[in-house]
Amino acid sequence: AMAGSRPLRRTAVVATPLDDFAIFDNTVENKTQARGLDMPKLVDRVEQRREIRSAARRVFARHGIAGTGLTHVAEAAGMGRSSLYHYYPDKAALMRDLVREVMTEEESFFAALVEGEGTPLERAERLARALAAMFEKWSAVARMLFDFRLRETRGFRPFFRRIRNHLASLIA
C-alpha cells in the first residue's frame, strides 16, 4: 500500500449453503471434489461394529486380552483409535460385545446340532463329528475366551446352563 492510501481490505470468501448443492449439471460430489474436499463417509454403525469385532477376534486370538490394546484393534480394523472410540468406549465394552457374539454363535451351532432330525444316538454322533471339525476354528478364539473367562466367570454361567439344557434335550 502506498503512503496515504487506504490499506487493502482482505475479505474472506464465504460459501453460501447453495454452493454445496448441485444447481446445474454439477453434482455435489463434483463441486466438493473440485474444492479438494472429501465427502463425508456414510457409515453403517452396525456393520462397522461387526468389522471392529472381527478385527478384535484376530488380534485377541494372536496376542490375548492383556497383550492387546485398542490401538492394535483399531489398526487391524483399518481405522484410527479415536474413531474406534465412537463405537466402543473402552476395551471392556468391546470384549463384552465380542464374547457375547462368539457365545451366541456357538450356542446356535450347538443347538442346531442337538435339536436336529434323527434319533438321540444319531444327533449325538453328528454333534461329536461337528465338534471335532470345529477345533481349528475354536483354536483361533480359545485364548481370548479363556482370558475373558478368568475375568468374568459369572457371565459364562448362563451360557453353560443353556448348553447343558441342550444336551439334556438330546437324551430326554
Side-chain angles (χ1 to χ4, degrees):
M2 298 180 358
S5 67
R6 293 186 355 202
L8 292 175
R9 237 177 93 183
R10 294 184 181 209
T11 57
V13 177
V14 178
T16 65
L18 291 178
D19 289 340
D20 287 333
F21 293 97
I23 307 174
F24 302 104
D25 287 336
N26 295 339
T27 63
V28 174
E29 292 84 4
N30 289 340
K31 285 185 152 291
T32 305
Q33 289 169 354
R35 285 193 246 140
L37 302 173
D38 290 329
M39 288 294 293
K41 187 176 178 182
L42 297 176
V43 176
D44 178 347
R45 188 166 176 79
V46 172
E47 178 61 21
Q48 186 65 49
R49 287 173 64 99
R50 190 199 60 72
E51 288 179 25
I52 292 168
R53 288 191 306 272
S54 177
R57 275 189 200 210
R58 293 188 307 272
V59 177
F60 286 135
R62 217 177 359 237
H63 303 290
I65 295 172
T68 302
L70 288 181
T71 301
H72 301 111
V73 174
E75 288 172 1
M79 64 175 45
R81 186 172 155 189
S82 61
S83 295
L84 187 135
Y85 285 121
H86 291 287
Y87 302 97
Y88 290 100
D90 55 32
K91 190 160 97 172
L94 173 57
M95 283 303 305
R96 278 190 302 275
D97 250 13
L98 181 56
V99 169
R100 187 178 306 120
E101 178 182 69
V102 169
M103 291 172 66
T104 300
E105 289 170 3
E106 296 305 318
E107 184 178 355
S108 296
F109 166 77
F110 195 85
L113 291 168
V114 170
E115 297 168 3
E117 296 288 321
T119 67
L121 180 59
E122 290 169 339
R123 291 183 293 166
E125 288 172 347
R126 184 174 55 238
L127 176 63
R129 282 191 304 276
L131 292 176
M134 292 295 293
F135 283 146
E136 186 176 334
K137 178 187 176 206
W138 285 335
S139 70
V141 294
R143 183 174 181 180
M144 175 192 67
L145 290 175
F146 286 132
D147 283 355
F148 195 75
R149 173 87 162 92
L150 291 173
R151 297 169 188 234
E152 301 286 332
T153 57
R154 283 184 286 142
F156 281 81
R157 286 183 188 144
F159 170 75
F160 288 119
R161 196 173 303 123
R162 290 189 304 271
I163 294 297
R164 187 180 62 224
N165 290 338
H166 289 301
L167 278 175
S169 73
L170 178 65
I171 58 175

mmCIF file of all heavy atoms in Angstrom, residues 51-97:
data_model
loop_
_atom_site.group_PDB
_atom_site.id
_atom_site.type_symbol
_atom_site.label_atom_id
_atom_site.label_comp_id
_atom_site.label_asym_id
_atom_site.label_seq_id
_atom_site.Cartn_x
_atom_site.Cartn_y
_atom_site.Cartn_z
ATOM 1 N N GLU A 51 -17.343 -55.217 11.961
ATOM 2 C CA GLU A 51 -15.982 -55.248 11.426
ATOM 3 C C GLU A 51 -14.945 -55.053 12.530
ATOM 4 O O GLU A 51 -13.883 -55.685 12.505
ATOM 5 C CB GLU A 51 -15.820 -54.189 10.336
ATOM 6 C CG GLU A 51 -16.554 -54.551 9.059
ATOM 7 C CD GLU A 51 -16.415 -53.495 7.978
ATOM 8 O OE1 GLU A 51 -15.425 -52.732 7.992
ATOM 9 O OE2 GLU A 51 -17.304 -53.437 7.111
ATOM 10 N N ILE A 52 -15.250 -54.202 13.487
ATOM 11 C CA ILE A 52 -14.337 -53.994 14.613
ATOM 12 C C ILE A 52 -14.223 -55.278 15.428
ATOM 13 O O ILE A 52 -13.128 -55.687 15.814
ATOM 14 C CB ILE A 52 -14.806 -52.817 15.493
ATOM 15 C CG1 ILE A 52 -14.656 -51.494 14.726
ATOM 16 C CG2 ILE A 52 -14.035 -52.782 16.816
ATOM 17 C CD1 ILE A 52 -15.343 -50.313 15.382
ATOM 18 N N ARG A 53 -15.351 -55.937 15.684
ATOM 19 C CA ARG A 53 -15.305 -57.200 16.434
ATOM 20 C C ARG A 53 -14.528 -58.268 15.680
ATOM 21 O O ARG A 53 -13.774 -59.045 16.267
ATOM 22 C CB ARG A 53 -16.721 -57.684 16.766
ATOM 23 C CG ARG A 53 -17.413 -56.854 17.828
ATOM 24 C CD ARG A 53 -18.692 -57.498 18.314
ATOM 25 N NE ARG A 53 -19.624 -57.838 17.263
ATOM 26 C CZ ARG A 53 -20.549 -57.026 16.764
ATOM 27 N NH1 ARG A 53 -20.666 -55.793 17.230
ATOM 28 N NH2 ARG A 53 -21.365 -57.438 15.818
ATOM 29 N N SER A 54 -14.682 -58.301 14.371
ATOM 30 C CA SER A 54 -13.943 -59.261 13.560
ATOM 31 C C SER A 54 -12.438 -59.014 13.669
ATOM 32 O O SER A 54 -11.650 -59.953 13.847
ATOM 33 C CB SER A 54 -14.401 -59.162 12.100
ATOM 34 O OG SER A 54 -13.668 -60.032 11.289
ATOM 35 N N ALA A 55 -12.033 -57.769 13.590
ATOM 36 C CA ALA A 55 -10.613 -57.421 13.746
ATOM 37 C C ALA A 55 -10.141 -57.757 15.157
ATOM 38 O O ALA A 55 -9.041 -58.282 15.347
ATOM 39 C CB ALA A 55 -10.402 -55.938 13.446
ATOM 40 N N ALA A 56 -10.981 -57.486 16.151
ATOM 41 C CA ALA A 56 -10.617 -57.773 17.542
ATOM 42 C C ALA A 56 -10.425 -59.271 17.756
ATOM 43 O O ALA A 56 -9.505 -59.684 18.473
ATOM 44 C CB ALA A 56 -11.689 -57.234 18.491
ATOM 45 N N ARG A 57 -11.256 -60.082 17.140
ATOM 46 C CA ARG A 57 -11.092 -61.549 17.244
ATOM 47 C C ARG A 57 -9.692 -61.964 16.800
ATOM 48 O O ARG A 57 -9.027 -62.742 17.462
ATOM 49 C CB ARG A 57 -12.089 -62.285 16.355
ATOM 50 C CG ARG A 57 -13.419 -62.508 16.955
ATOM 51 C CD ARG A 57 -14.204 -63.436 16.041
ATOM 52 N NE ARG A 57 -15.619 -63.317 16.315
ATOM 53 C CZ ARG A 57 -16.484 -64.309 16.154
ATOM 54 N NH1 ARG A 57 -16.087 -65.472 15.711
ATOM 55 N NH2 ARG A 57 -17.740 -64.130 16.426
ATOM 56 N N ARG A 58 -9.291 -61.437 15.648
ATOM 57 C CA ARG A 58 -7.975 -61.808 15.114
ATOM 58 C C ARG A 58 -6.844 -61.355 16.045
ATOM 59 O O ARG A 58 -5.922 -62.115 16.324
ATOM 60 C CB ARG A 58 -7.779 -61.200 13.721
ATOM 61 C CG ARG A 58 -8.710 -61.776 12.666
ATOM 62 C CD ARG A 58 -8.363 -61.297 11.262
ATOM 63 N NE ARG A 58 -8.269 -59.848 11.113
ATOM 64 C CZ ARG A 58 -9.283 -59.049 10.829
ATOM 65 N NH1 ARG A 58 -10.496 -59.554 10.662
ATOM 66 N NH2 ARG A 58 -9.106 -57.746 10.687
ATOM 67 N N VAL A 59 -6.937 -60.135 16.518
ATOM 68 C CA VAL A 59 -5.857 -59.581 17.343
ATOM 69 C C VAL A 59 -5.837 -60.228 18.723
ATOM 70 O O VAL A 59 -4.764 -60.599 19.218
ATOM 71 C CB VAL A 59 -5.994 -58.045 17.448
ATOM 72 C CG1 VAL A 59 -4.927 -57.460 18.345
ATOM 73 C CG2 VAL A 59 -5.913 -57.411 16.069
ATOM 74 N N PHE A 60 -7.001 -60.389 19.357
ATOM 75 C CA PHE A 60 -7.052 -61.025 20.676
ATOM 76 C C PHE A 60 -6.609 -62.487 20.594
ATOM 77 O O PHE A 60 -5.970 -62.991 21.499
ATOM 78 C CB PHE A 60 -8.451 -60.946 21.280
ATOM 79 C CG PHE A 60 -8.829 -59.584 21.789
ATOM 80 C CD1 PHE A 60 -10.069 -59.051 21.500
ATOM 81 C CD2 PHE A 60 -7.970 -58.846 22.581
ATOM 82 C CE1 PHE A 60 -10.435 -57.805 21.981
ATOM 83 C CE2 PHE A 60 -8.323 -57.599 23.057
ATOM 84 C CZ PHE A 60 -9.556 -57.072 22.760
ATOM 85 N N ALA A 61 -6.967 -63.164 19.497
ATOM 86 C CA ALA A 61 -6.558 -64.562 19.337
ATOM 87 C C ALA A 61 -5.039 -64.677 19.245
ATOM 88 O O ALA A 61 -4.450 -65.617 19.761
ATOM 89 C CB ALA A 61 -7.210 -65.156 18.090
ATOM 90 N N ARG A 62 -4.421 -63.715 18.617
ATOM 91 C CA ARG A 62 -2.972 -63.741 18.433
ATOM 92 C C ARG A 62 -2.214 -63.319 19.688
ATOM 93 O O ARG A 62 -1.200 -63.903 20.038
ATOM 94 C CB ARG A 62 -2.601 -62.800 17.281
ATOM 95 C CG ARG A 62 -1.489 -63.275 16.415
ATOM 96 C CD ARG A 62 -1.213 -62.341 15.238
ATOM 97 N NE ARG A 62 -2.082 -61.192 15.166
ATOM 98 C CZ ARG A 62 -2.843 -60.882 14.123
ATOM 99 N NH1 ARG A 62 -2.840 -61.631 13.066
ATOM 100 N NH2 ARG A 62 -3.603 -59.815 14.133
ATOM 101 N N HIS A 63 -2.715 -62.291 20.385
ATOM 102 C CA HIS A 63 -1.955 -61.686 21.489
ATOM 103 C C HIS A 63 -2.611 -61.822 22.859
ATOM 104 O O HIS A 63 -2.035 -61.390 23.848
ATOM 105 C CB HIS A 63 -1.721 -60.197 21.208
ATOM 106 C CG HIS A 63 -1.018 -59.952 19.913
ATOM 107 N ND1 HIS A 63 0.303 -60.263 19.703
ATOM 108 C CD2 HIS A 63 -1.472 -59.451 18.742
ATOM 109 C CE1 HIS A 63 0.643 -59.944 18.473
ATOM 110 N NE2 HIS A 63 -0.415 -59.459 17.857
ATOM 111 N N GLY A 64 -3.821 -62.369 22.919
ATOM 112 C CA GLY A 64 -4.536 -62.442 24.190
ATOM 113 C C GLY A 64 -5.115 -61.086 24.560
ATOM 114 O O GLY A 64 -4.820 -60.074 23.931
ATOM 115 N N ILE A 65 -5.935 -61.072 25.593
ATOM 116 C CA ILE A 65 -6.581 -59.828 26.012
ATOM 117 C C ILE A 65 -5.573 -58.868 26.624
ATOM 118 O O ILE A 65 -5.509 -57.697 26.269
ATOM 119 C CB ILE A 65 -7.729 -60.107 26.999
ATOM 120 C CG1 ILE A 65 -8.837 -60.881 26.300
ATOM 121 C CG2 ILE A 65 -8.278 -58.809 27.588
ATOM 122 C CD1 ILE A 65 -9.934 -61.367 27.217
ATOM 123 N N ALA A 66 -4.764 -59.369 27.540
ATOM 124 C CA ALA A 66 -3.814 -58.496 28.236
ATOM 125 C C ALA A 66 -2.788 -57.906 27.282
ATOM 126 O O ALA A 66 -2.357 -56.766 27.472
ATOM 127 C CB ALA A 66 -3.121 -59.276 29.347
ATOM 128 N N GLY A 67 -2.401 -58.642 26.248
ATOM 129 C CA GLY A 67 -1.374 -58.165 25.331
ATOM 130 C C GLY A 67 -1.887 -57.315 24.193
ATOM 131 O O GLY A 67 -1.133 -56.964 23.293
ATOM 132 N N THR A 68 -3.169 -56.993 24.215
ATOM 133 C CA THR A 68 -3.779 -56.246 23.120
ATOM 134 C C THR A 68 -4.405 -54.960 23.638
ATOM 135 O O THR A 68 -5.168 -54.969 24.596
ATOM 136 C CB THR A 68 -4.876 -57.089 22.437
ATOM 137 O OG1 THR A 68 -4.296 -58.297 21.963
ATOM 138 C CG2 THR A 68 -5.503 -56.343 21.283
ATOM 139 N N GLY A 69 -4.084 -53.872 22.987
ATOM 140 C CA GLY A 69 -4.708 -52.586 23.294
ATOM 141 C C GLY A 69 -5.668 -52.199 22.186
ATOM 142 O O GLY A 69 -5.677 -52.809 21.108
ATOM 143 N N LEU A 70 -6.458 -51.183 22.437
ATOM 144 C CA LEU A 70 -7.413 -50.741 21.419
ATOM 145 C C LEU A 70 -6.710 -50.183 20.190
ATOM 146 O O LEU A 70 -7.269 -50.218 19.093
ATOM 147 C CB LEU A 70 -8.376 -49.709 22.009
ATOM 148 C CG LEU A 70 -9.403 -50.280 22.976
ATOM 149 C CD1 LEU A 70 -10.321 -49.182 23.496
ATOM 150 C CD2 LEU A 70 -10.226 -51.381 22.336
ATOM 151 N N THR A 71 -5.492 -49.706 20.347
ATOM 152 C CA THR A 71 -4.730 -49.241 19.188
ATOM 153 C C THR A 71 -4.494 -50.396 18.222
ATOM 154 O O THR A 71 -4.634 -50.234 17.006
ATOM 155 C CB THR A 71 -3.382 -48.634 19.633
ATOM 156 O OG1 THR A 71 -3.656 -47.549 20.521
ATOM 157 C CG2 THR A 71 -2.579 -48.142 18.455
ATOM 158 N N HIS A 72 -4.168 -51.587 18.763
ATOM 159 C CA HIS A 72 -3.961 -52.769 17.915
ATOM 160 C C HIS A 72 -5.249 -53.134 17.172
ATOM 161 O O HIS A 72 -5.220 -53.464 15.988
ATOM 162 C CB HIS A 72 -3.516 -53.972 18.758
ATOM 163 C CG HIS A 72 -2.251 -53.739 19.506
ATOM 164 N ND1 HIS A 72 -2.231 -53.636 20.881
ATOM 165 C CD2 HIS A 72 -0.976 -53.573 19.086
ATOM 166 C CE1 HIS A 72 -0.987 -53.429 21.272
ATOM 167 N NE2 HIS A 72 -0.200 -53.386 20.197
ATOM 168 N N VAL A 73 -6.360 -53.082 17.895
ATOM 169 C CA VAL A 73 -7.653 -53.419 17.281
ATOM 170 C C VAL A 73 -7.998 -52.405 16.204
ATOM 171 O O VAL A 73 -8.425 -52.771 15.105
ATOM 172 C CB VAL A 73 -8.770 -53.497 18.348
ATOM 173 C CG1 VAL A 73 -10.131 -53.710 17.699
ATOM 174 C CG2 VAL A 73 -8.480 -54.602 19.352
ATOM 175 N N ALA A 74 -7.808 -51.125 16.499
ATOM 176 C CA ALA A 74 -8.113 -50.069 15.521
ATOM 177 C C ALA A 74 -7.288 -50.249 14.254
ATOM 178 O O ALA A 74 -7.814 -50.154 13.140
ATOM 179 C CB ALA A 74 -7.865 -48.691 16.136
ATOM 180 N N GLU A 75 -5.996 -50.529 14.411
ATOM 181 C CA GLU A 75 -5.133 -50.752 13.243
ATOM 182 C C GLU A 75 -5.622 -51.937 12.424
ATOM 183 O O GLU A 75 -5.674 -51.874 11.196
ATOM 184 C CB GLU A 75 -3.684 -50.975 13.686
ATOM 185 C CG GLU A 75 -3.011 -49.719 14.186
ATOM 186 C CD GLU A 75 -1.644 -49.983 14.809
ATOM 187 O OE1 GLU A 75 -1.197 -51.160 14.833
ATOM 188 O OE2 GLU A 75 -1.025 -49.017 15.277
ATOM 189 N N ALA A 76 -5.981 -53.031 13.098
ATOM 190 C CA ALA A 76 -6.469 -54.221 12.392
ATOM 191 C C ALA A 76 -7.793 -53.946 11.684
ATOM 192 O O ALA A 76 -8.092 -54.558 10.660
ATOM 193 C CB ALA A 76 -6.625 -55.390 13.362
ATOM 194 N N ALA A 77 -8.581 -53.021 12.225
ATOM 195 C CA ALA A 77 -9.872 -52.665 11.624
ATOM 196 C C ALA A 77 -9.715 -51.586 10.553
ATOM 197 O O ALA A 77 -10.702 -51.195 9.915
ATOM 198 C CB ALA A 77 -10.848 -52.199 12.704
ATOM 199 N N GLY A 78 -8.498 -51.063 10.378
ATOM 200 C CA GLY A 78 -8.263 -50.040 9.362
ATOM 201 C C GLY A 78 -8.781 -48.673 9.736
ATOM 202 O O GLY A 78 -9.242 -47.917 8.884
ATOM 203 N N MET A 79 -8.700 -48.337 11.007
ATOM 204 C CA MET A 79 -9.177 -47.027 11.461
ATOM 205 C C MET A 79 -8.253 -46.502 12.544
ATOM 206 O O MET A 79 -7.421 -47.241 13.065
ATOM 207 C CB MET A 79 -10.606 -47.123 11.999
ATOM 208 C CG MET A 79 -10.751 -47.993 13.230
ATOM 209 S SD MET A 79 -12.403 -48.023 14.001
ATOM 210 C CE MET A 79 -13.482 -48.202 12.637
ATOM 211 N N GLY A 80 -8.422 -45.262 12.894
ATOM 212 C CA GLY A 80 -7.672 -44.674 13.986
ATOM 213 C C GLY A 80 -8.309 -45.038 15.318
ATOM 214 O O GLY A 80 -9.495 -45.357 15.385
ATOM 215 N N ARG A 81 -7.504 -44.956 16.357
ATOM 216 C CA ARG A 81 -8.004 -45.292 17.693
ATOM 217 C C ARG A 81 -9.154 -44.381 18.106
ATOM 218 O O ARG A 81 -10.134 -44.828 18.694
ATOM 219 C CB ARG A 81 -6.855 -45.192 18.686
ATOM 220 C CG ARG A 81 -7.217 -45.642 20.059
ATOM 221 C CD ARG A 81 -5.987 -45.700 20.919
ATOM 222 N NE ARG A 81 -6.361 -45.549 22.305
ATOM 223 C CZ ARG A 81 -5.497 -45.388 23.265
ATOM 224 N NH1 ARG A 81 -4.222 -45.344 23.009
ATOM 225 N NH2 ARG A 81 -5.911 -45.267 24.495
ATOM 226 N N SER A 82 -9.050 -43.096 17.781
ATOM 227 C CA SER A 82 -10.130 -42.171 18.162
ATOM 228 C C SER A 82 -11.431 -42.522 17.450
ATOM 229 O O SER A 82 -12.513 -42.357 18.013
ATOM 230 C CB SER A 82 -9.729 -40.729 17.885
ATOM 231 O OG SER A 82 -9.477 -40.540 16.511
ATOM 232 N N SER A 83 -11.343 -43.040 16.234
ATOM 233 C CA SER A 83 -12.555 -43.462 15.520
ATOM 234 C C SER A 83 -13.173 -44.679 16.188
ATOM 235 O O SER A 83 -14.398 -44.791 16.270
ATOM 236 C CB SER A 83 -12.224 -43.802 14.070
ATOM 237 O OG SER A 83 -11.803 -42.651 13.377
ATOM 238 N N LEU A 84 -12.340 -45.574 16.679
ATOM 239 C CA LEU A 84 -12.846 -46.768 17.347
ATOM 240 C C LEU A 84 -13.667 -46.384 18.579
ATOM 241 O O LEU A 84 -14.681 -47.015 18.870
ATOM 242 C CB LEU A 84 -11.681 -47.683 17.745
ATOM 243 C CG LEU A 84 -12.111 -49.031 18.292
ATOM 244 C CD1 LEU A 84 -11.264 -50.125 17.668
ATOM 245 C CD2 LEU A 84 -11.978 -49.088 19.781
ATOM 246 N N TYR A 85 -13.258 -45.319 19.261
ATOM 247 C CA TYR A 85 -13.983 -44.879 20.458
ATOM 248 C C TYR A 85 -15.415 -44.431 20.156
ATOM 249 O O TYR A 85 -16.240 -44.371 21.056
ATOM 250 C CB TYR A 85 -13.231 -43.772 21.184
ATOM 251 C CG TYR A 85 -12.039 -44.267 21.953
ATOM 252 C CD1 TYR A 85 -10.768 -43.795 21.690
ATOM 253 C CD2 TYR A 85 -12.184 -45.231 22.951
ATOM 254 C CE1 TYR A 85 -9.662 -44.256 22.396
ATOM 255 C CE2 TYR A 85 -11.099 -45.703 23.659
ATOM 256 C CZ TYR A 85 -9.840 -45.206 23.376
ATOM 257 O OH TYR A 85 -8.770 -45.671 24.080
ATOM 258 N N HIS A 86 -15.718 -44.119 18.907
ATOM 259 C CA HIS A 86 -17.101 -43.781 18.543
ATOM 260 C C HIS A 86 -18.003 -45.006 18.620
ATOM 261 O O HIS A 86 -19.219 -44.885 18.719
ATOM 262 C CB HIS A 86 -17.176 -43.190 17.134
ATOM 263 C CG HIS A 86 -16.562 -41.843 17.020
ATOM 264 N ND1 HIS A 86 -17.141 -40.708 17.545
ATOM 265 C CD2 HIS A 86 -15.399 -41.445 16.462
ATOM 266 C CE1 HIS A 86 -16.377 -39.673 17.311
ATOM 267 N NE2 HIS A 86 -15.306 -40.090 16.648
ATOM 268 N N TYR A 87 -17.400 -46.190 18.563
ATOM 269 C CA TYR A 87 -18.151 -47.436 18.559
ATOM 270 C C TYR A 87 -18.028 -48.199 19.869
ATOM 271 O O TYR A 87 -18.972 -48.870 20.275
ATOM 272 C CB TYR A 87 -17.685 -48.322 17.393
ATOM 273 C CG TYR A 87 -17.854 -47.630 16.074
ATOM 274 C CD1 TYR A 87 -16.788 -46.963 15.475
ATOM 275 C CD2 TYR A 87 -19.087 -47.590 15.449
ATOM 276 C CE1 TYR A 87 -16.951 -46.300 14.271
ATOM 277 C CE2 TYR A 87 -19.265 -46.936 14.246
ATOM 278 C CZ TYR A 87 -18.192 -46.284 13.669
ATOM 279 O OH TYR A 87 -18.367 -45.622 12.484
ATOM 280 N N TYR A 88 -16.872 -48.123 20.499
ATOM 281 C CA TYR A 88 -16.634 -48.798 21.776
ATOM 282 C C TYR A 88 -15.858 -47.856 22.689
ATOM 283 O O TYR A 88 -14.746 -47.459 22.352
ATOM 284 C CB TYR A 88 -15.849 -50.108 21.577
ATOM 285 C CG TYR A 88 -16.668 -51.161 20.893
ATOM 286 C CD1 TYR A 88 -16.526 -51.419 19.541
ATOM 287 C CD2 TYR A 88 -17.633 -51.874 21.605
ATOM 288 C CE1 TYR A 88 -17.311 -52.372 18.911
ATOM 289 C CE2 TYR A 88 -18.419 -52.823 20.978
ATOM 290 C CZ TYR A 88 -18.251 -53.065 19.635
ATOM 291 O OH TYR A 88 -19.030 -54.006 19.023
ATOM 292 N N PRO A 89 -16.431 -47.496 23.842
ATOM 293 C CA PRO A 89 -15.767 -46.526 24.728
ATOM 294 C C PRO A 89 -14.505 -47.072 25.403
ATOM 295 O O PRO A 89 -13.638 -46.305 25.792
ATOM 296 C CB PRO A 89 -16.836 -46.184 25.761
ATOM 297 C CG PRO A 89 -17.755 -47.361 25.757
ATOM 298 C CD PRO A 89 -17.730 -47.904 24.355
ATOM 299 N N ASP A 90 -14.416 -48.402 25.531
ATOM 300 C CA ASP A 90 -13.237 -48.993 26.166
ATOM 301 C C ASP A 90 -13.123 -50.461 25.783
ATOM 302 O O ASP A 90 -13.999 -51.031 25.138
ATOM 303 C CB ASP A 90 -13.278 -48.819 27.690
ATOM 304 C CG ASP A 90 -14.552 -49.365 28.318
ATOM 305 O OD1 ASP A 90 -15.114 -50.356 27.797
ATOM 306 O OD2 ASP A 90 -14.991 -48.804 29.332
ATOM 307 N N LYS A 91 -12.031 -51.063 26.179
ATOM 308 C CA LYS A 91 -11.754 -52.457 25.831
ATOM 309 C C LYS A 91 -12.777 -53.396 26.462
ATOM 310 O O LYS A 91 -13.180 -54.383 25.841
ATOM 311 C CB LYS A 91 -10.332 -52.822 26.269
ATOM 312 C CG LYS A 91 -9.869 -54.152 25.754
ATOM 313 C CD LYS A 91 -8.348 -54.268 25.784
ATOM 314 C CE LYS A 91 -7.848 -54.962 26.986
ATOM 315 N NZ LYS A 91 -6.400 -55.250 26.934
ATOM 316 N N ALA A 92 -13.217 -53.094 27.661
ATOM 317 C CA ALA A 92 -14.198 -53.954 28.339
ATOM 318 C C ALA A 92 -15.506 -54.022 27.546
ATOM 319 O O ALA A 92 -16.100 -55.094 27.402
ATOM 320 C CB ALA A 92 -14.452 -53.457 29.759
ATOM 321 N N ALA A 93 -15.963 -52.894 27.017
ATOM 322 C CA ALA A 93 -17.204 -52.878 26.229
ATOM 323 C C ALA A 93 -17.038 -53.693 24.949
ATOM 324 O O ALA A 93 -17.934 -54.451 24.562
ATOM 325 C CB ALA A 93 -17.600 -51.445 25.891
ATOM 326 N N LEU A 94 -15.889 -53.553 24.302
ATOM 327 C CA LEU A 94 -15.614 -54.337 23.105
ATOM 328 C C LEU A 94 -15.574 -55.827 23.441
ATOM 329 O O LEU A 94 -16.164 -56.646 22.736
ATOM 330 C CB LEU A 94 -14.290 -53.895 22.480
ATOM 331 C CG LEU A 94 -13.776 -54.723 21.306
ATOM 332 C CD1 LEU A 94 -14.788 -54.781 20.165
ATOM 333 C CD2 LEU A 94 -12.444 -54.168 20.819
ATOM 334 N N MET A 95 -14.917 -56.177 24.531
ATOM 335 C CA MET A 95 -14.829 -57.581 24.932
ATOM 336 C C MET A 95 -16.202 -58.168 25.236
ATOM 337 O O MET A 95 -16.500 -59.292 24.835
ATOM 338 C CB MET A 95 -13.922 -57.740 26.154
ATOM 339 C CG MET A 95 -12.452 -57.665 25.852
ATOM 340 S SD MET A 95 -11.916 -58.877 24.630
ATOM 341 C CE MET A 95 -12.482 -60.392 25.349
ATOM 342 N N ARG A 96 -17.032 -57.421 25.949
ATOM 343 C CA ARG A 96 -18.379 -57.924 26.257
ATOM 344 C C ARG A 96 -19.151 -58.226 24.974
ATOM 345 O O ARG A 96 -19.763 -59.281 24.832
ATOM 346 C CB ARG A 96 -19.132 -56.925 27.125
ATOM 347 C CG ARG A 96 -18.796 -57.005 28.591
ATOM 348 C CD ARG A 96 -19.740 -56.178 29.441
ATOM 349 N NE ARG A 96 -19.760 -54.767 29.068
ATOM 350 C CZ ARG A 96 -18.887 -53.852 29.513
ATOM 351 N NH1 ARG A 96 -17.936 -54.196 30.341
ATOM 352 N NH2 ARG A 96 -18.973 -52.602 29.140
ATOM 353 N N ASP A 97 -19.114 -57.288 24.026
ATOM 354 C CA ASP A 97 -19.819 -57.495 22.756
ATOM 355 C C ASP A 97 -19.242 -58.667 21.983
ATOM 356 O O ASP A 97 -19.975 -59.470 21.411
ATOM 357 C CB ASP A 97 -19.706 -56.230 21.899
ATOM 358 C CG ASP A 97 -21.016 -55.500 21.756
ATOM 359 O OD1 ASP A 97 -21.964 -55.809 22.492
ATOM 360 O OD2 ASP A 97 -21.081 -54.611 20.887
#
